[in-house]
Amino acid sequence: MFKKNHSFGPAERLRQLPPYLFAEIDKKKRDLVAKGKDVVDLGVGDPDLPTPFFIIDALAEAARDPRNHRYALDAGMPEFRESIRKWFQKRFNVTLDPQKEILPLIGSKEGIAHFPLAVLNPGEVSLIPDPCYPPYKSGTWFAGGVPRLMPLLESNEFLPDLSAIEPDILKKAKILYLNYPNNPTSAVASKTFFKEAVEFAHRHGLILVQDAAYTEVAFDGYKAPSILEVEGAREVAIEFHSLSKTFNMTGWRVGFAAGNPELIALLAKIKSNVDSGVFQAIQLAAKKALDEGHSAHQEILKIYQKRRDLFIGGLEKLGWDVKAPKATFYCWLPVPPGYTSAELALKFLEEMNVVVTPGNGFGPNGEGYFRVSLTMPEARLEEALRRIEKSHQHLHSR
Ligand SMILES: *Cc1c(COP(=O)(O)O)cnc(C)c1O
């Protein structure tokens, strides 16, 4: 009566997704760990440090209050939105309307992935940086849109060359994605570039989506701008912010969108149909983080900066020509001649038991690079450097 071996295939939109490029590396890594090997994992973009205690305390207290056990308001708690307004004012000197220009999210990835459903019609184009954080592409696909890649080249400081976008593609384009400070290249964008992008968006009727997940992870006194600092940005831009990387809160799932009120309202409409807001206790803890997190955040940055100096300094000693990133906890490093990104990552794993991420996993223009994440204690970074040094001769003699 029941059919055996019944199988449900994936929907077309899932079939469209590119193959998962890290499967082989993941499997090899699991095998090595299972064999008891000491694997140094510099692959994951997820802070190893704990969330600061005062934020956890705020969560615990709010979680005990039964008022926070019910559905949250779709638009987020007014006191959280007010706290975002204040933080944004202080940090970027931008005045946002907390009712209309701010929307709490269940992590910024959620907002980024849902946003195309709110604005794209089937066949319309998203202009996407390459290499990039994958949800710009998948969000576009899921909405029936067409991703078109804008190469991020080292020769252009990993900024897209907007003037190189072909007119017939531009005609069909509706969204232009930016992500600065950038994952995976760790590049930063100046306010001048943001100005150029805003003017470009005005001229061509584009929506600018700026992913600001790493604006707060910056070193040597560098302060990354918000695109909303630029005149005219508010008419065309929506910016996605996250508490994940700033306060070691990746698992908590909280972030927010800020910017053009119409775009915020459209995203809110999609979200009101698919989720019911961020757990209120998490909103109150996130409010605490934004209100009182400055010094805890500075401590976190000091740790990343020390790690960065240690790792980049170590590679320089080995004769590698590498630049210290100004922002993000990533090092985007050129692959030595003679290897593809994937071959190098495999070699690191097999010979050194060190996990790095091959650049081609972020898109075709990631080929020739690999990403190292500084989300490991200094001792582990030193261990990775020792192993790189040992394989070094061999690495460069191919
Ligand atoms: C980590 C990351 C995010 C997502 O952060 P959430 O945890 O979803 O807030 C967004 N963009 C980039 C580029 C990231 O690396």
Side-chain angles (χ1 to χ4, degrees):
M1 172 166 182
F2 294 110
K3 239 190 340 182
K4 272 194 191 137
N5 301 325
H6 196 90
S7 150
F8 303 101
E12 276 309 315
R13 68 177 63 81
L14 281 183
R15 271 189 226 278
Q16 278 182 314
L17 292 179
Y20 180 64
L21 283 174
F22 307 140
E24 190 184 0
I25 288 181
D26 284 354
K27 185 180 177 307
K28 283 233 156 72
K29 181 180 113 185
R30 277 196 309 274
D31 291 349
L32 289 167
V33 171
K35 275 193 223 147
K37 298 279 187 204
D38 176 30
V39 174
V40 183
D41 192 346
L42 306 180
V44 283
D46 188 353
D48 57 311
L49 299 163
T51 307
F53 278 130
F54 76 97
I55 303 174
I56 298 171
D57 287 343
L59 172 74
E61 190 186 323
R64 284 191 200 97
D65 183 345
R67 281 177 303 177
N68 294 328
H69 297 171
R70 312 187 67 189
Y71 286 122
L73 293 171
D74 287 341
M77 296 173 86
E79 53 265 61
F80 181 36
R81 278 184 280 136
E82 174 56 21
S83 150
I84 293 167
R85 183 196 69 74
K86 267 200 249 156
W87 180 84
F88 221 90
Q89 180 75 53
K90 199 167 160 199
R91 171 65 178 83
F92 299 113
N93 198 24
V94 169
T95 311
L96 297 171
D97 176 339
Q99 259 69 257
K100 297 193 176 123
E101 295 178 321
I102 292 173
L103 181 66
L105 300 170
I106 310 172
S108 67
K109 183 181 190 178
E110 177 263 302
I112 290 166
H114 279 138
F115 182 70
L117 290 175
V119 297
L120 272 193
N121 293 306
E124 288 179 330
V125 164
S126 289
L127 299 166
I128 295 177
D130 172 43
C132 76
Y133 179 62
Y136 314 145
K137 283 184 206 160
S138 46
T140 295
W141 269 313
F142 290 168
V146 182
R148 290 298 193 143
L149 304 182
M150 306 177 288
L152 302 185
L153 305 178
E154 194 162 357
S155 54
N156 198 38
E157 294 177 329
F158 299 111
L159 297 168
D161 178 0
L162 301 178
S163 66
I165 302 166
E166 288 165 34
D168 57 320
I169 291 174
L170 202 47
K171 244 187 270 159
K172 293 187 207 136
K174 184 109 182 243
I175 302 179
L176 193 160
Y177 287 89
L178 297 173
N179 165 217
Y180 293 100
N182 184 260
N183 177 12
T185 67
S186 81
V188 297
S190 65
K191 231 167 115 172
T192 312
F193 173 75
F194 277 167
K195 240 183 183 155
E196 196 184 300
V198 166
E199 280 165 18
F200 189 81
H202 272 276
R203 207 172 325 127
H204 298 286
L206 298 171
I207 297 164
L208 270 184
V209 173
Q210 145 68 359
D211 179 351
Y214 294 96
T215 52
E216 305 318 296
V217 187
F219 311 115
D220 310 323
Y222 171 71
K223 282 205 157 215
S226 159
I227 201 159
L228 299 174
E229 291 174 34
V230 170
E231 204 191 317
R234 219 181 284 226
E235 283 86 64
V236 293
I238 184 167
E239 188 165 74
F240 287 91
H241 287 262
S242 170
L243 279 81
S244 291
K245 315 291 165 50
T246 313
F247 297 108
N248 305 328
M249 291 173 72
T250 46
W252 294 53
R253 312 315 302 134
V254 60
F256 59 91
N260 178 269
E262 187 191 348
L263 299 177
I264 293 280
L266 294 173
L267 177 58
K269 190 153 190 178
I270 292 289
K271 280 174 56 57
S272 70
N273 282 282
V274 295
D275 67 61
S276 300
V278 180
F279 180 29
Q280 292 205 62
I282 289 180
Q283 292 190 55
L284 291 169
K287 168 178 160 47
K288 189 88 171 176
L290 292 180
D291 292 348
E292 295 172 30
H294 183 72
S295 64
H297 174 55
Q298 293 305 309
E299 291 309 309
I300 293 169
L301 287 187
K302 268 191 217 155
I303 294 173
Y304 286 134
Q305 189 162 325
K306 268 180 83 183
R307 291 175 179 177
R308 177 200 68 167
D309 293 344
L310 181 146
F311 191 73
I312 293 289
L315 289 181
E316 278 172 345
K317 260 186 229 150
L318 294 177
W320 288 47
D321 182 19
V322 288
K323 271 194 221 123
K326 261 197 199 162
T328 79
F329 43 59
Y330 302 114
C331 302
W332 184 243
L333 303 167
V335 168
Y339 300 90
T340 65
S341 302
E343 284 166 358
L344 186 87
L346 219 59
K347 184 179 170 70
F348 263 61
L349 190 56
E350 285 171 346
E351 282 181 21
M352 309 175 211
N353 297 345
V354 172
V355 181
V356 298
T357 310
N360 66 327
F362 300 100
N365 280 288
E367 183 53 70
Y369 296 89
F370 65 105
R371 193 190 74 177
V372 163
S373 182
L374 300 170
T375 50
M376 278 283 148
E378 285 177 46
R380 299 302 281 162
L381 294 173
E382 279 166 351
E383 177 60 27
L385 283 169
R386 270 194 293 278
R387 296 183 195 177
I388 294 170
E389 185 172 14
K390 251 168 81 185
S391 303
H392 194 251
Q393 224 40 41
H394 188 61
L395 201 61
H396 282 268
S397 66
R398 182 155 150 175

